[in-house]
Amino acid sequence: AKPRNVRWERAKTFFFGEKTGAAFENSKANARLRQTSLDFLDSAISDPELRKALTPDYAFKCKRVVRSSDFYAALDSERAELVPRAVTHVTANGVVDAGGVEHAVDVIVMATGFEAAKYLQTINVIGRNGVRLHDAWGDEPEAFLGISYPDFPNFFMLYGPNSNSPTASIIFILETQADFVIRQARRLKRKSGGSLEVRRGLHSRYNRWLQKRMTSTVWMTGCTNYQRGPTGRVVTNWPHHALLFWALTKMPTWMSSTTSPTPRTRTKELITEGK
């Protein structure tokens, strides 16, 4: 394909996601996608009881959407049986469900998932006055544009809190964040030292606005999902279109600066803390 055609196809895919991927509960896009999914379920599953068991009782996109053309067909096969109950324990011969029924099995596939809300959980990041980032976060990690946190000079991260996009590829978000960090690094180079960090007041206003917008998203409609932390606060996702996120990263004066060099922690100490 010619480069121009490739760029055009990429642009169409991107703006299709921007148009249909909004996660606000009462949006027309959300209602349309939910109905499309239900129509697909009706066409793929002939058994009404199986169809009922597979129909979610929560808002569309409240949990991660799985796109597949053959998953329903596999469940509708005579060789498969869907047990819509949780597993309570494992026996020598199989598994027992919440109804007390034992199911003989040869193989058990463990899908343990991941802890998306626990950012940088294997790394100790230490900021001004020896404060640890995990202590500052507690159970509600947050950051400005998912990149920076107050009182942690010259600390930048990618794919941090509230930067997972419901509309665009995460690659686009990572590229905008990386471009933001590069611009800050160039500022430091021009200053010949010193430090940069997000202003605390700006950081607080940004996150208050962000969480206020979260209240009308599908992630806050009562279902359990990986987007929320232990307190119930949404800590992984960005609620708006990816283009708004891109525009915010282009603002020139988000980071405050100091001209005095930032005190450095010795490498040996950092390695010890990391253990």
Side-chain angles (χ1 to χ4, degrees):
K2 295 182 179 179
R4 182 183 301 175
N5 294 338
V6 172
R7 289 194 294 269
W8 172 243
E9 289 300 321
R10 290 188 64 180
K12 287 198 300 183
T13 301
F14 178 85
F15 285 105
F16 176 80
E18 288 285 87
K19 181 179 178 181
T20 63
F24 292 100
E25 182 184 8
N26 296 321
S27 68
K28 292 181 180 180
N30 187 277
R32 183 169 59 250
L33 288 172
R34 175 178 176 81
Q35 189 58 51
T36 299
S37 300
L38 291 175
D39 291 343
F40 177 62
L41 175 61
D42 288 342
S43 65
I45 302 296
S46 55
D47 182 0
E49 290 299 319
L50 179 58
R51 191 188 310 132
K52 181 180 178 181
L54 291 170
T55 302
D57 59 356
Y58 46 83
F60 183 77
K61 279 202 170 185
C62 188
K63 297 192 179 187
R64 193 169 190 172
V65 177
V66 177
R67 296 177 173 85
S68 173
S69 59
D70 52 15
F71 178 69
Y72 286 152
L75 291 179
D76 203 30
S77 169
E78 295 180 353
R79 296 178 297 172
E81 177 189 1
L82 174 66
V83 180
R85 295 182 297 274
V87 173
T88 58
H89 60 280
V90 179
T91 67
N93 300 315
V95 295
V96 178
D97 66 32
V101 180
E102 183 177 13
H103 304 268
V105 298
D106 297 318
V107 177
I108 301 175
V109 179
M110 303 292 290
T112 56
F114 52 94
E115 296 179 311
K118 294 186 177 181
Y119 289 90
L120 304 178
Q121 61 177 316
T122 61
I123 303 174
N124 279 325
V125 180
I126 303 174
R128 188 175 285 110
N129 300 321
V131 176
R132 297 173 183 268
L133 182 60
H134 290 292
D135 293 336
W137 274 347
D139 289 330
E140 295 186 343
E142 61 182 20
F144 180 70
L145 297 173
I147 299 173
S148 183
Y149 192 78
D151 295 327
F152 284 78
N154 295 346
F155 167 67
F156 303 97
M157 57 183 161
L158 305 186
Y159 208 6
N162 295 115
S163 63
N164 189 51
S165 172
T167 64
S169 166
I170 187 58
I171 296 174
F172 175 79
I173 298 297
L174 294 176
E175 288 174 343
T176 62
Q177 290 180 321
D179 184 64
F180 179 91
V181 174
I182 290 171
R183 292 201 309 275
Q184 308 314 315
R186 287 172 176 166
R187 284 183 63 190
L188 282 174
K189 183 178 180 179
R190 290 195 298 268
K191 285 161 50 66
S192 300
S195 65
L196 291 172
E197 62 184 285
V198 63
R199 300 178 179 89
R200 177 166 291 279
L202 173 62
H203 173 271
S204 298
R205 290 193 299 273
Y206 168 79
N207 279 280
R208 285 197 301 269
W209 168 81
L210 188 67
Q211 292 305 317
K212 184 177 181 180
R213 298 298 293 158
M214 287 292 181
T215 58
S216 56
T217 63
V218 293
W219 307 309
M220 297 294 289
T221 54
C223 75
T224 56
N225 50 49
Y226 76 87
Q227 292 97 337
R228 302 172 72 175
T231 65
R233 179 176 179 170
V234 176
V235 297
T236 65
N237 282 16
W238 164 256
H240 284 284
H241 294 94
L243 282 177
L244 176 57
F245 190 92
W246 169 84
L248 290 175
T249 63
K250 296 300 181 182
M251 297 297 181
T253 57
W254 287 142
M255 309 293 288
S256 64
S257 62
T258 58
T259 55
S260 58
T262 304
R264 295 181 178 180
T265 306
R266 290 176 300 172
T267 302
K268 182 178 180 181
E269 292 177 344
L270 284 175
I271 295 174
T272 302
E273 293 292 346
K275 294 180 180 179

